Amino acid sequence: MPGRPSASDGAPPRRGWLLWWLVCSLTVTLCAFVVGSLVRSPWEAASANSERASTTTLEVEWREFPVDRPQAVGTLEVGAIVDAPSGHGDSVAVVTAAPVEAGQVVPAGARVAEVSGRPVLVLELPFRLYRDLVPGDSGADVAALQQSLTGLGLYSGGADGQFGPRTSAAVRDLYRQAGADPPGAADDLVLAAQDARIALEAAVAAERRARQIRDDVVREAGTSGATSEAEADLSAAAALVASARQEAADTAAAADTPLPAAEIVRIPTGTATVVHAAAPDTLVDTTTPAVRLRAGAPSAVLRVGVEHDDAFPVGTSVEVQAVDDPGASMPATVVARGEFTSDQDDDRVPGFDVTLAFPADAPVTIDPGAAVVAVPDGVPEIESGPAVPIVAVRSEGDGSFVLLVEPRPADPDVPETRAVPVVVSRTADGFALLELPEDGALEVGDHVLLGRAP
């Protein structure tokens, strides 16, 4: 009869279903545990990797390292700029020859230009000539000229400040030594000297006639009154000769060789460097000189930082380079050192000031006032040698070492290492430049360990 289904109708009992569900859950949980135990997280992998000894090696190689060269910094002073005089009287001043060129070193006595057909010479003088010097002049400027000519071996008299015949002769030798014609006296002085010579010749001739007349009278009249008159005429003629001779000497001296101020460029020392030489056909005036010279010895006082102080002792030879033009350089020598100063004017670091001297005959290739650096001779820009990554260098106590990798016969995949002492001389770009041991324990081409030893 119809009613509720019984257990015998095929439906699973509640207890069996629960058991089946429990078995399935346990099976899934067990599988998940097994799978989870086989999969490692990134943190677990990193932790395990950190515990593993590295076997990464790298070859000892030859590398180049830039050298931090010691430097002294400052500016270059190279004396005064001197222009040739522009005055040449009322005539047009035009360059007619340019015997020198820029950069050339010229000594005192040299011809450095030719203006309107006349030479321009260089002389070492304590001050510039402020007037034309002519025979008969006297003063401090004459004495300075005589001293300059003495230095050139052209004048042997004392510097008495009197422009006489010996000074004129020395001026003539100065011009001839420079390959130029000596200057001449003013036309009126030359004419006066010529007139005086003619007058002297006439006076001498008159004296000769008076003497002949006196001699004739004496032979004919003896000691008569005529003889006395003839003697008086001879005395007068002799006096005229003496006067004419003195006049001729004075006018000849006045017409001797002068020294025009416009033909002399004054320099304070024995040499100068040509800065600019005007080309022929250039009109000369106060703004366009025929030649411009740089006179006076170069000098420089440079600052050395504390870290490089021991690289610049007195006597050190250095190369001075222009900051804006490294190709412009000059040799120099450290001649003095100052005490430490913290003065930071001109953006200079605290340190020591060193004074440089330059060779007297060296051409000045750096512009006055240019910023310069001085580097000791013999310090290279690049240093090369055996190198390894910095991480391969290990420290122990006061020393450093690397682990030399050697194959392990029993297990070639696991290297065998040996500590080799090294000295690191400099570092750059993640590498260390090594001073290798003298016993050859480490050489270029060997391999070193980067991580910990296995």
Side-chain angles (χ1 to χ4, degrees):
M1 55 181 299
R4 292 183 300 176
S6 64
S8 60
D9 290 339
R14 182 179 298 276
R15 182 176 301 173
W17 181 85
L18 293 174
L19 181 60
W20 177 82
W21 180 84
L22 180 61
V23 170
C24 290
S25 298
L26 291 174
T27 301
V28 171
T29 301
L30 180 61
C31 291
F33 176 79
V34 172
V35 172
S37 65
L38 296 177
V39 177
R40 294 194 299 172
S41 70
W43 292 272
E44 291 174 324
S47 176
N49 189 57
S50 67
E51 299 297 328
R52 182 182 301 128
S54 171
T55 58
T56 302
T57 65
L58 195 70
E59 184 176 305
V60 179
E61 61 180 287
W62 194 270
R63 290 181 68 93
E64 291 184 344
F65 290 74
V67 176
D68 180 20
R69 300 196 295 173
Q71 294 183 342
V73 298
T75 57
L76 183 73
E77 301 298 334
V78 290
I81 295 297
V82 180
D83 291 340
S86 58
H88 270 73
D90 297 331
S91 62
V92 176
V94 59
V95 176
T96 50
V100 296
E101 58 185 15
Q104 183 175 338
V105 177
V106 294
R111 183 171 66 104
V112 294
E114 182 182 288
V115 177
S116 300
R118 289 299 305 161
V120 177
L121 309 183
V122 175
L123 275 184
E124 180 181 356
L125 295 167
F127 49 83
R128 69 188 64 190
L129 296 181
Y130 51 87
R131 60 172 176 166
D132 293 340
L133 295 179
V134 299
D137 283 343
S138 62
D141 50 355
V142 177
L145 170 63
Q146 291 170 332
Q147 291 172 347
S148 179
L149 295 172
T150 299
L152 294 174
L154 303 175
Y155 181 77
S156 58
D160 57 5
Q162 301 295 322
F163 200 118
R166 286 187 297 182
T167 305
S168 285
V171 170
R172 284 194 297 274
D173 291 341
L174 169 69
Y175 276 77
R176 288 167 180 161
Q177 181 174 278
D181 293 331
D187 291 343
D188 59 336
L189 296 178
V190 174
L191 290 175
Q194 291 175 348
D195 291 343
R197 282 198 300 271
I198 294 172
L200 175 60
E201 292 173 358
V204 169
E207 182 194 28
R208 188 178 300 113
R209 288 193 301 271
R211 188 178 301 279
Q212 184 63 45
I213 292 172
R214 192 276 316 264
D215 292 344
D216 292 342
V217 170
V218 168
R219 281 196 303 271
E220 293 176 0
T223 59
S224 65
T227 302
S228 300
E229 184 178 351
E231 288 286 355
D233 291 340
L234 177 58
S235 297
L240 289 175
V241 168
S243 176
R245 183 172 283 113
Q246 183 62 48
E247 180 67 15
D250 292 343
T251 55
D256 207 347
T257 305
L259 184 64
E263 296 184 6
I264 298 299
V265 182
R266 174 257 174 185
I267 58 174
T269 57
T271 60
T273 301
V274 179
V275 177
H276 173 74
D281 201 35
T282 301
L283 293 177
V284 174
D285 55 29
T286 56
T287 60
T288 308
V291 66
R292 173 165 290 173
L293 306 176
R294 182 182 296 120
S299 64
V301 178
L302 308 185
R303 177 69 55 83
V304 180
V306 176
E307 69 277 13
H308 294 147
D309 172 54
D310 58 352
F312 291 88
V314 173
T316 300
S317 296
V318 300
E319 180 184 15
V320 180
Q321 297 177 336
V323 173
D324 295 334
D325 184 9
S329 63
M330 299 171 57
T333 304
V334 177
V335 294
R337 284 168 45 88
E339 299 295 330
F340 173 80
T341 176
S342 59
D343 181 9
Q344 300 186 47
D345 290 345
D346 301 326
D347 298 327
R348 293 191 296 177
V349 299
F352 301 81
D353 288 338
V354 295
T355 302
L356 305 183
F358 296 82
D361 57 349
V364 179
T365 58
I366 302 176
D367 293 334
V372 297
V373 297
V375 179
D377 288 348
V379 179
E381 296 184 12
I382 297 294
E383 186 175 355
S384 58
V388 298
I390 295 176
V391 295
V393 181
R394 307 155 195 274
S395 299
E396 183 176 18
D398 296 332
S400 299
F401 66 94
V402 296
L403 291 176
L404 174 65
V405 176
E406 299 174 327
R408 181 179 295 177
D411 187 357
D413 295 331
V414 180
E416 191 172 79
T417 60
R418 176 166 56 91
V420 178
V422 295
V423 175
V424 177
S425 59
R426 65 178 67 253
T427 60
D429 300 328
F431 281 80
L433 178 64
L434 304 181
E435 295 181 15
L436 299 183
E438 296 181 359
D439 60 4
L442 185 68
E443 298 179 347
V444 174
D446 289 342
H447 285 77
V448 295
L449 193 67
L450 297 186
R452 290 196 302 273

